[in-house]
Amino acid sequence: MGSFADFHARSINDRDAFWAEQAKRVDWKVQPQQICDYSNPPFAKWFVGGETNLCHNAVDRHLAERADQPALIFVSTETNQEKTYTYRDLHAEVQRMAAILKDLGVVKGDRVLIYMPMIAEAAFAMLACARLGAIHSVVFGGFASHSLATRIEDASPKVIISADAGSRGGKGVPYKPLLDEAIKLSAHKPANVIMVDRQLVAFTPVAGRDVDYATERAKHMDTVVPCEWVESTHPSYTLYTSGTTGKPKGVQRDTGGYTVALASSIPHIYQGKPGGTFFCTSDIGWVVGHSYIIYGPLIGGMATILYEGLPIRPDGGIWWSLVEKYKVNVMFSAPTAIRVLKKQDPALLTKYDLSSLQALFLAGEPLDEPTAKWISEGLNGKAIIDNYWQTETGWPILTICNGVEKAESKFGSPGKAVYGYNVKLVDDQTGEELTGANQKGVLTIEGPLPPGNLQTIWGDDERFVKTYWKTVPGKLVYSTFDWAVRDEDGYFFILGRTDDVINVAGHRLGTREIEESISSHPNIAEVAVVGVADQLKGQVAMAFAIAKDTSGLTDAAARKTFEAEVMKVVDSQLGAVARPSRVLFVTALPKTRSGKLLRRAIQAVAEGRDPGDLTTMDDPAALQQIVDLIKT
Ligand code: ATP
Ligand code: MG
């Protein structure tokens, strides 16, 4: 192992040689002729002239060495199913699904929309699309008709693959009526819908459109469907961002660059080895699910666990019992899930044999110190590694690459810039690069974006350029829209999103800093701070907090006392200028389906405006509480 600094420097300064070497980790039908074509910035083309196939690299290529090794381990605590598919089994199932798609006329470049719960067939569906060179667009199963309809319209799929129902807490959650309604709402109509019937919820097929998966599968038990070799730059999929800050963006990913990026990340970032087991608790509807439930572990020759169920059912030990049973080496989850576990008995963390587990990776939102400490101590000091990335990037921008060089994590920091990422902090007003330690700037990436990152926004090159590349004055650089500082050791700390900054009487304050201050009060469980327009000060901060113990907050006077107490904490830590104008107590906060705070929506209703697109919101009642509070 060399030094990480050298490794990173080479990835930037000797880019083509570096990535040519990484490209050897995957199979090519035709070798790339050019490593990176950046002649038309900001559009980067990786491994130009190369021909490959994502499904081949995830499945077929392992048959020679590991046909009988577990590839996909499906566990549902919803339906009490547990089934292991070897690479041989997976290869057969993917071909059956691909054969059905082929029968329906799906060819290279066609879009296929996947609206499915966390079942093995969802993995077959994604891999089957990749096999045919069809472009999949997975829509999170928790989304309802309206969100689904906008995505159907945007992706214009020839075929949709779905199921009768998902399941939550042991109860069937119908999908089919939502899908039918979405197709009705959408101007684009798919020619066919493949229905996986789990027999959880009865449904009526639409004659002439819907086909039954089991019936079709039975016709293709031994059908051979070869991989369609596609150009490296051929799109593998589209996927929408979480919609935390506005209308979701349809991220378009290539084939060759993505395969190489994932193949390289498994050893360098996750320290995964062929034959090992990867357990990512995300959902296939999110980017983390695409990269680290499906493609990454399989490309790396590992077994991957696909888990349907809650983290606390039958009890809060379920995930750790799976770690023991399947000898999980690499685990990947999100801070929001750990916060759910935090409410359970901590003894469940040590009840099982976790000796196989090397590290727990967490991504998706800021990993707050109390949560990081709680899980790290609970798991007896196992490495807890924060990953900072975006749907757009497909794999981490910031983290610790222990597979390159062992390094210590720092609480509150996702780590350093990952190889391939030329990360720069810039002043948002002047565009000037900030090179000093602890200077706060916008986290940007200089082009070309590394392999695996988005090629463009599906069907909208202009929005791609305008949204991401034209926000820093005088420079064509990719903006993450996140604030960060870098310390003297090169560790980054994410301070929040650029639209989370408020301006109080000329002072620019990060809402996240105020939130952290409020959270340090021992009786605060969670808090959201937003800027609200104010005639005098421009903006004032307003806080919506969830108290841990609400027993003393039954009347207005008690709430007022508590509010004053919280304000005092902010006063003493950040100064009076940061003190929120109000601290209002709620029982839930509005979040996206992926567990992120919807500050944009909170701000809108706090200012008496229409919150706009709420299709990605999890719990409308949480927002209603705020609407009601503001009125009083
Ligand atoms: P949209 O772009 O549609 O508003 P979104 O940004 O929430 O939605 P994602 O791509 O799912 O969609 O989330 C990426 C964002 O999540 C990052 O830009 C960052 O703000 C936040 N994030 C992800 N991982 C971390 C992390 N480890 N630490 C802090 N923030 C993180
Ligand atoms: Mg985003």
Side-chain angles (χ1 to χ4, degrees), residues 4-5 7-9 11-12 388 396-401 414-424 443-445 486 489-492:
F4 178 73
F7 194 75
H8 184 269
S11 75
I12 304 299
Y388 164 83
I397 306 166
L398 305 176
T399 193
I400 300 288
C401 296
K416 301 183 183 185
V418 170
Y419 57 91
Y421 289 92
N422 194 2
V423 173
K424 300 262 161 82
L443 198 143
T444 65
I445 307 167
R486 178 177 38 213
D489 301 323
Y491 284 72
F492 287 85

Coordinates of all heavy atoms in Angstrom, one line a residue, residues 4-5 7-9 11-12 388 396-401 414-424 443-445 486 489-492:
F4 N -2.0 7.5 0.7 CA -3.3 7.9 0.1 C -3.1 9.2 -0.7 O -3.6 9.4 -1.7 CB -4.4 8.1 1.1 CG -5.7 8.6 0.5 CD1 -6.4 7.8 -0.3 CD2 -6.1 9.9 0.6 CE1 -7.6 8.2 -1.0 CE2 -7.2 10.4 -0.1 CZ -7.9 9.6 -0.8
A5 N -2.2 10.1 -0.1 CA -2.0 11.4 -0.7 C -1.4 11.2 -2.2 O -1.8 11.8 -3.1 CB -1.0 12.2 0.1
F7 N -1.8 8.5 -4.0 CA -2.8 7.8 -4.8 C -3.8 8.8 -5.3 O -4.1 8.8 -6.5 CB -3.5 6.8 -3.8 CG -4.4 5.8 -4.5 CD1 -3.9 4.7 -5.2 CD2 -5.8 5.9 -4.5 CE1 -4.7 3.8 -5.8 CE2 -6.6 5.0 -5.1 CZ -6.1 3.9 -5.7
H8 N -4.2 9.7 -4.4 CA -5.1 10.8 -4.9 C -4.5 11.7 -5.9 O -5.1 12.0 -6.9 CB -5.6 11.6 -3.6 CG -6.7 12.6 -4.0 ND1 -6.3 13.9 -4.3 CD2 -8.0 12.5 -4.2 CE1 -7.5 14.5 -4.7 NE2 -8.5 13.7 -4.6
A9 N -3.3 12.1 -5.6 CA -2.6 13.0 -6.5 C -2.5 12.4 -7.9 O -2.7 13.1 -8.9 CB -1.2 13.4 -6.0
S11 N -4.4 10.2 -9.3 CA -5.7 10.1 -9.9 C -6.1 11.5 -10.6 O -6.9 11.5 -11.5 CB -6.8 9.8 -8.9 OG -7.1 10.8 -8.0
I12 N -5.5 12.6 -10.1 CA -5.9 13.9 -10.7 C -4.8 14.3 -11.7 O -5.1 14.7 -12.8 CB -5.9 15.0 -9.6 CG1 -6.9 14.6 -8.5 CG2 -6.2 16.3 -10.2 CD1 -8.4 14.4 -8.9
Y388 N -19.7 10.7 2.3 CA -20.4 11.9 1.8 C -20.5 11.7 0.3 O -19.5 11.7 -0.4 CB -19.7 13.2 2.2 CG -20.2 14.4 1.4 CD1 -21.4 15.0 1.7 CD2 -19.5 14.8 0.2 CE1 -21.8 16.1 0.9 CE2 -19.9 15.9 -0.5 CZ -21.1 16.5 -0.2 OH -21.5 17.6 -0.9
P396 N -18.8 7.6 -3.3 CA -18.4 8.6 -2.4 C -17.5 9.7 -3.0 O -16.6 9.4 -3.8 CB -17.7 7.9 -1.3 CG -18.3 6.5 -1.3 CD -18.5 6.2 -2.8
I397 N -17.7 11.0 -2.5 CA -16.9 12.1 -2.8 C -15.9 12.3 -1.7 O -14.7 12.5 -1.9 CB -17.7 13.4 -2.9 CG1 -18.8 13.3 -3.9 CG2 -16.8 14.6 -3.3 CD1 -19.9 14.4 -3.8
L398 N -16.4 12.1 -0.5 CA -15.5 12.2 0.7 C -15.6 11.0 1.6 O -16.8 10.6 1.8 CB -15.9 13.5 1.6 CG -16.0 14.8 0.9 CD1 -16.5 15.8 2.0 CD2 -14.6 15.3 0.4
T399 N -14.5 10.4 2.0 CA -14.6 9.4 3.0 C -13.1 9.0 3.3 O -12.2 9.7 2.9 CB -15.3 8.1 2.5 OG1 -15.6 7.3 3.7 CG2 -14.6 7.3 1.4
I400 N -13.0 8.0 4.1 CA -11.6 7.5 4.5 C -11.4 6.2 3.6 O -12.2 5.3 3.6 CB -11.6 7.0 5.9 CG1 -12.0 8.2 6.9 CG2 -10.3 6.3 6.3 CD1 -10.9 9.2 7.0
C401 N -10.4 6.2 2.8 CA -10.1 5.1 1.9 C -9.1 4.1 2.6 O -7.9 4.1 2.3 CB -9.5 5.5 0.6 SG -10.7 6.5 -0.4
P414 N -16.7 13.4 7.2 CA -16.7 12.2 6.4 C -15.3 11.9 5.9 O -15.1 10.8 5.4 CB -17.6 12.7 5.2 CG -18.1 14.0 5.5 CD -17.3 14.6 6.6
G415 N -14.3 12.7 6.1 CA -12.9 12.4 5.7 C -12.4 13.3 4.6 O -12.8 14.5 4.5
K416 N -11.6 12.7 3.8 CA -10.9 13.5 2.7 C -11.5 13.3 1.4 O -12.3 12.4 1.2 CB -9.4 13.1 2.7 CG -8.7 13.2 4.0 CD -7.2 12.9 3.8 CE -6.5 13.0 5.2 NZ -5.1 12.7 5.1
A417 N -11.1 14.1 0.4 CA -11.5 13.9 -1.0 C -11.1 12.5 -1.5 O -9.9 12.1 -1.3 CB -11.0 15.0 -1.9
V418 N -12.0 11.8 -2.0 CA -11.8 10.4 -2.6 C -10.9 10.6 -3.9 O -11.1 11.6 -4.6 CB -13.1 9.7 -2.8 CG1 -12.9 8.4 -3.6 CG2 -13.8 9.4 -1.5
Y419 N -10.1 9.6 -4.2 CA -9.4 9.6 -5.4 C -10.3 9.8 -6.6 O -11.5 9.4 -6.6 CB -8.6 8.3 -5.6 CG -9.4 7.1 -5.6 CD1 -10.0 6.5 -6.7 CD2 -9.7 6.4 -4.4 CE1 -10.8 5.4 -6.7 CE2 -10.5 5.3 -4.3 CZ -11.1 4.8 -5.5 OH -11.9 3.7 -5.5
G420 N -9.9 10.6 -7.6 CA -10.7 10.9 -8.8 C -11.4 12.2 -8.6 O -11.8 12.8 -9.6
Y421 N -11.6 12.6 -7.4 CA -12.4 13.9 -7.1 C -11.4 15.0 -6.8 O -10.7 15.0 -5.8 CB -13.3 13.7 -5.9 CG -14.5 12.8 -6.2 CD1 -14.5 11.4 -6.0 CD2 -15.7 13.3 -6.8 CE1 -15.5 10.6 -6.2 CE2 -16.8 12.5 -7.0 CZ -16.7 11.2 -6.8 OH -17.8 10.3 -7.0
N422 N -11.4 16.0 -7.7 CA -10.6 17.2 -7.5 C -11.5 18.2 -6.8 O -12.1 19.1 -7.4 CB -10.2 17.7 -8.9 CG -9.1 18.7 -8.8 OD1 -8.6 19.1 -7.7 ND2 -8.6 19.3 -9.9
V423 N -11.6 18.1 -5.5 CA -12.5 18.9 -4.7 C -11.9 20.2 -4.4 O -10.7 20.3 -4.0 CB -12.8 18.1 -3.4 CG1 -13.7 19.0 -2.4 CG2 -13.6 16.9 -3.7
K424 N -12.6 21.3 -4.5 CA -12.2 22.6 -4.2 C -13.2 23.3 -3.4 O -14.4 23.2 -3.7 CB -12.0 23.4 -5.5 CG -10.9 22.8 -6.4 CD -9.6 23.5 -6.3 CE -8.4 22.7 -6.8 NZ -8.2 22.8 -8.3
L443 N -18.5 23.4 -1.5 CA -17.8 22.3 -1.9 C -18.0 22.1 -3.4 O -19.2 21.8 -3.8 CB -18.2 21.1 -1.1 CG -17.2 19.9 -1.1 CD1 -17.1 19.3 0.2 CD2 -17.6 18.9 -2.1
T444 N -17.0 22.2 -4.2 CA -17.2 22.0 -5.7 C -16.2 20.9 -6.2 O -15.3 20.6 -5.4 CB -16.8 23.3 -6.4 OG1 -15.5 23.6 -6.2 CG2 -17.7 24.5 -5.9
I445 N -16.5 20.5 -7.3 CA -15.6 19.5 -8.0 C -15.2 20.0 -9.3 O -16.0 20.4 -10.1 CB -16.3 18.1 -8.1 CG1 -16.9 17.6 -6.8 CG2 -15.3 17.1 -8.7 CD1 -17.8 16.5 -6.9
R486 N -12.4 22.6 5.4 CA -11.3 21.6 5.4 C -10.3 22.0 6.5 O -9.9 23.1 6.6 CB -10.7 21.6 4.1 CG -9.5 20.6 3.9 CD -9.0 20.6 2.5 NE -8.9 22.0 2.0 CZ -9.1 22.3 0.7 NH1 -9.3 21.4 -0.2 NH2 -9.1 23.6 0.4
D489 N -5.5 19.0 8.3 CA -5.1 17.7 7.9 C -5.8 17.2 6.6 O -5.7 16.1 6.2 CB -5.4 16.7 9.0 CG -4.7 17.0 10.3 OD1 -3.6 17.5 10.2 OD2 -5.3 16.8 11.3
G490 N -6.6 18.1 6.0 CA -7.3 17.8 4.8 C -8.7 17.1 5.0 O -9.3 16.6 4.0
Y491 N -9.1 17.0 6.2 CA -10.5 16.5 6.5 C -11.5 17.5 6.3 O -11.4 18.6 6.8 CB -10.5 16.0 8.0 CG -9.8 14.7 8.2 CD1 -8.4 14.6 8.2 CD2 -10.5 13.5 8.5 CE1 -7.7 13.4 8.5 CE2 -9.8 12.3 8.7 CZ -8.5 12.3 8.7 OH -7.8 11.1 8.9
F492 N -12.6 17.1 5.6 CA -13.7 18.0 5.4 C -14.8 17.9 6.4 O -15.0 16.8 6.9 CB -14.3 17.8 4.0 CG -13.4 18.2 2.8 CD1 -12.4 17.4 2.4 CD2 -13.6 19.5 2.3 CE1 -11.6 17.8 1.3 CE2 -12.8 19.9 1.2 CZ -11.8 19.1 0.7

